[in-house]
Each structure stands twice: as structure tokens, then as C-alpha cells.
Amino acid sequence: MKSIHLFASDPAPEGEIPPGPSVVGVDLSLSATGLASSEGWCRVLGYEDKKNPITKLPHGVRLFHMRRVLDAVTEAIGRPDLAVIEAAALSRSGGGAHERGWLWWRIFERLTDAGIPVGLMSPNQRILYATGKGSGAKTAVVDAVARRWPQWRTGGNDNACDAVTLMAAGRDWLLAPITDMPKAHRAAVENATWPEVK
């Protein structure tokens, strides 16, 4: 059975996380979903087998593993005050688009069915919030997260860093930012899609 838990950080020491609402950032992927909680932890969950990628499995086996990822991600998210998901990148090409879409909608469905408000940020908005620019290499986001939110131990994992950025933007939207952000960065929060009620 292929592992689902790929990375988990120790939570930040008590006192290093500013108090405020519970927010989880979710960077969805079947092979490496990044999760970060405002309580100070990061995780990366997914199906990882480079010799037998999930998109090459027989359909019944593929669905079995997709459901395993779905269940693991849902359980890890828990019941925060807000979940912030990276919006589906509809222009993204390559294998697995069909499967990624399934996972995205199933997570969205489970969160909304549970009454958890969901915010959506585009990939460009996520990068803008972290770096101040609307595009850039993954390493730029990793470096920005290490500088701005060092309490979250990402191990340099870009999926975890993306999730930390989404979580921090959610806290910012709830008027309880983790740290003060420059105006250029905050434009990403102002232009993201947020639930109707805070």
C-alpha cells in the first residue's frame, strides 16, 4: 500500500503563533497536497509511486487511491473556521487534469457540506501574497515563506509553502494577520474569492 503521509512538521512552539481564528491552507494535488494550519503545523499528503503514477493505474485501482487521498486530506483539514484552497488552474495542461478536478470538487463539496467557509485564491494571487509579484519560481515562494512565516517548518517543501501562504492570506482576510504585509502583497487578498460571511 503506497504511503499517503509524505511530510509532517512538528508544530511551532507555543507562543510563536499569534492567536486568532483557525485557518487551514490547502494546495490540492493527488500526489502531494500541501496543508498548513494556523495552529502551526504543515503536512503533505498524497499518492507517490513514480514507477506507477496514479494516472496510469487501472480505473478501479485509481479510484481506490484517489479516495484514500481524499479521506486523508479531509481528515487532516479538520474543522477550521476557514479553509483557503488554491483555485483550479483551468489552463494547466499535462496528465491528471481529470483526476485533479475530481479531487478539487470532492474536497470543496466535503468542506461546504460540513459548513466550513471556503476561500479561493488563484495561483497568481498566492504567489503575489507571498512575494509581492504575480508570478515567479517555486523557490521564490519557498524563500518568502521562510522569511515571513518561519514558525511553520516546511522543510523547504514547495507544497507546504504554498499551503502556508494560503493559510496566512486567510488569516489576513479575517483581520488577524500572522504578520503585517505590504500593500502590494495584500492586493492578492483583496482580489481573491471569499465566502459571503466572515
Side-chain angles (χ1 to χ4, degrees):
M1 187 73 66
K2 294 301 170 188
S3 175
I4 292 293
H5 297 275
L6 306 179
F7 170 83
S9 70
D10 292 330
E14 192 172 339
E16 286 191 12
I17 305 297
S22 173
V23 179
V24 174
V26 185
D27 179 34
L28 283 170
S29 162
L30 283 163
S31 60
T33 288
L35 299 167
S37 168
S38 60
E39 295 173 4
W41 55 259
C42 297
R43 293 183 191 150
V44 179
L45 309 174
Y47 174 92
E48 186 180 57
D49 184 345
K50 292 180 180 175
K51 291 184 180 178
N52 298 293
I54 200 165
T55 55
K56 301 294 185 185
L57 298 174
H59 284 75
V61 178
R62 189 181 315 180
L63 182 59
F64 170 78
H65 287 293
M66 288 165 61
R67 285 176 172 158
R68 287 183 66 223
V69 173
L70 171 67
D71 291 342
V73 170
T74 303
E75 182 179 346
I77 292 171
R79 296 202 49 94
D81 298 315
L82 175 70
V84 185
I85 301 176
E86 185 170 282
L90 300 177
S91 62
R92 186 174 170 189
S93 61
H98 190 55
E99 291 82 1
R100 286 194 308 271
W102 176 91
L103 179 66
W104 195 96
W105 279 109
R106 291 302 311 273
I107 291 291
F108 185 84
E109 175 186 46
R110 286 191 176 185
L111 292 172
T112 55
D113 284 354
I116 297 168
V118 177
L120 304 174
M121 294 190 85
S122 72
N124 289 38
Q125 289 166 340
R126 172 185 50 75
I127 296 168
L128 176 62
Y129 190 71
T131 69
K133 298 178 182 178
S135 63
K138 288 181 178 290
T139 53
V141 173
V142 171
D143 291 345
V145 169
R147 280 194 328 273
R148 292 190 181 279
W149 307 290
Q151 310 94 308
W152 280 264
R153 291 162 173 80
T154 65
N157 183 291
D158 59 274
N159 302 294
C161 290
D162 289 349
V164 170
T165 303
L166 294 165
M167 174 276 301
R171 280 282 299 258
D172 200 334
W173 179 72
L174 289 170
L175 306 179
I178 303 295
T179 189
D180 289 334
M181 297 294 284
K183 184 176 180 180
H185 297 243
R186 290 209 75 257
V189 174
E190 293 165 6
N191 294 314
T193 301
W194 300 105
E196 291 182 12
V197 179
K198 288 189 184 184

